[in-house]
Amino acid sequence: MTRKHRRVVSRREFLETTAAATAAVTLPNTRGPALVGKARKIRVGVIGCGGRGTGAMHDCLTSSEDVELVALGDLFPDRLAKCRENLATMVTEEANSALKPKIKVNDRNCFTGFDAYQKVIASKVDLVVLATPPAFRATHFAAAVAAGKHVFMEKPVAVDPSGVRSVLATADLAAQKGLAVVAGTQRRHDPGYRAAMERIHGGDIGDIVGGQVYWNQGGLWMHPRLPEWSDVEWQIRNWLYFTWLSGDHIVEQHIHNIDVANWALGAHPVKAVGVGGRQWRTDPAYGHVYDHFAVDFQYPNGAHVLSMCRQIDGTASHVGERFVGTRGTSDGRSVIEGAAPWQRDPQAPKVNPYVQEHADLIASIRAGTPLNEGRQVAETTLSAIMGREAAYTGQVIVWDELLASQQELVPPDLNFGPMPVAPVAMPGSTGVVRTWRGA
Amino acid sequence: MSALLFAACPAAVVGQSAAHFLPYRDSIPGTLVSFEMIPVPGGTVTLDTPQGPRTVSVGPFWIGKTEVTWDEYDIWAFRLDLAGRVPTDSIDAVSRPSRPYGAPDRGFGHQGYPAIGMTYFAAQTYCAWLSAKTGKRYRLATDVEWSRAVQAGLGADTGWTPERRDALAWHAGNAGNQSHPVAAKPPDALGVHDLLGNVAEWVTGGVGSADGRPVVRGGSWADPADQVGPRARAAQTPAWNLTDPQFPKSRWWLADAPFVGFRIVLLPQ
């Protein structure tokens, strides 16, 4: 029932693109960079060298043999320098000593500035890791695939429908070119989630009729503005708090749980109604994002999934998922209750999904059967954006209309300089159609 | 039994008026949160060490009646004692934890549940903060003190039968794969709860670890029953923080150790 709706996509032009790309995927791949020989080293470049980017370097290098880190790029020289210091520290740790010969980073292959991504991609790299704030993902992904690079990209992969359209097109192009694309929705590579999903898709809880997904927690880090920072620099350094940079926390963080819902249901939502607001984190230091959302997502089979996310200090935390089927319930990762009960062995060996996602990516490149999660993560990203827009606008958001909408939040040519902060979204008056020009 | 132990250890209160060595309740100033401390008489304990059994003497001290709860830990960890909504994130950043990415209580429960998943450094820093707040020198127990508390409260190892274990301690066989509210199990003879099981507890200067590094004691809800007991001792491994996706990994939070907590002690002045 859910399977046939798996590709409920959009408008005519997208159906056409999809059809062409699907045809291309099914053709045997006889050329291109997917044919990296088993013996050949995979050379990795990383764009976005913050804590997650540096963590991804560790995970990628740890995951596989014959992988080398050969290029780094970051907007900010201080962040890149800090990353290099951290890499030096990393290899002094006993558990990471084997990584030392894999790190071939020097002054010549480290790049900063808004065009650093182009220089990393132009380096002799096979695989590019995209770990900047989400605003830049669609552009970087397009450039990497155009240059024939395999890609690992952090979630979310866009902040607006315009970015999602770009990522969908690039994902299809990557498929045509035989390039691997893996996304940082690491639950898809977690043995617990995979085991539960296999059972759910096998019918162990029956047809899914509803569910709940949550990411409720306290606030996150914030860097108080320094006098020497321009508007743009201040916003990018505090990217969590600006919708054009992060997508807001429902997109940046809660996307993980929405992705699990899409995975369980084998579809993306078709409709969303939601509420949300900015009740606690009201200081201008926190930009204009909301601090809580609650969204009702409707899926093609009629199932409703409640999504709830919050970033407010001193409140109850909860991160997780739950699915209700006609024969039972599941948390999607460790337990099924009902007609076909199951519990994952708590003593089962631990696999680090953040490493596994890189292992799966690199193994797929070497096997000549490149994984391509681009479309999947783009659809999950738009699902989360749908929730955001339902709350921001107060309107019923329909998938096809949102995907086709003219919402473009990221200025095309960024430079350090003035940039006003867009107003906090107001349900009833904020519309889906918005651009950076109106900020 | 409690009285017997006190009577058996008159040296315990040397330099301290016996009348003042009593249980007491302390509170975190500016909050409604309080916690109880239980006196542990001094004595000698025999410890397993890499060089064989070693007998050491330990003076009297107070120990937390329970593991430190989220009610207490939140005030420090989430800066609830600082001015509300102003952006203070960089102020005091050295001595307050980074913001956890996710639910630090793992959904087990919060109010009345033991705080979990903190590094040894975080547990120590909490004690330093609590000391500054209260004017008393709270700190983590040493490995020896912790052993003494178990011995004084539970008696010799030989008394640690499966029946007593199930009655007093949460372990993998009875905990349902999660931590439980503190003091849900009955107290020991001193009036202390959950020394064994529920969450394993950070102590300083692990006598049983080869290099004297901190260890956790007592076993936890995640350990099989036979690994929860007076001798249970574990040092941190990379698996305790495997899935922190950042580098450097957090110095405050352990992404994969929801079975680790701590309790505090105070020495008589």
Side-chain angles (χ1 to χ4, degrees), chain A residues 308-329:
Chain A
M308 187 189 290
C309 61
R310 172 169 66 194
Q311 289 183 350
I312 298 181
D313 276 2
T315 61
S317 297
H318 182 52
V319 180
E321 303 88 20
R322 180 171 177 270
F323 301 102
V324 181
T326 50
R327 298 178 66 228
T329 63

Side-chain angles (χ1 to χ4, degrees), chain B residues 34 57 61-62 66 81 100 109-110 115 124 136 160 175 186-187 218 230 254 264:
Chain B
S34 66
S57 63
F61 58 95
W62 282 275
T66 69
D81 56 327
H110 208 80
Q124 267 192 319
K136 299 191 184 72
W160 189 241
L254 295 170
I264 56 175

Side-chain angles (χ1 to χ4, degrees), chain A residues 18-81:
Chain A
T18 309
T22 307
V25 176
T26 57
L27 294 171
N29 176 51
T30 54
R31 67 188 196 295
L35 298 182
V36 172
K38 277 183 188 168
R40 207 192 125 184
K41 280 196 167 59
I42 292 184
R43 295 160 51 89
V44 182
V46 177
I47 300 165
C49 298
R52 178 75 269 269
T54 313
M57 295 171 205
H58 166 273
D59 298 337
C60 183
L61 297 178
T62 303
S63 74
S64 311
E65 293 302 314
D66 293 321
V67 178
E68 285 182 352
L69 180 64
V70 299
L72 299 181
D74 198 281
L75 176 56
F76 299 113
D78 61 302
R79 297 304 302 247
L80 195 134

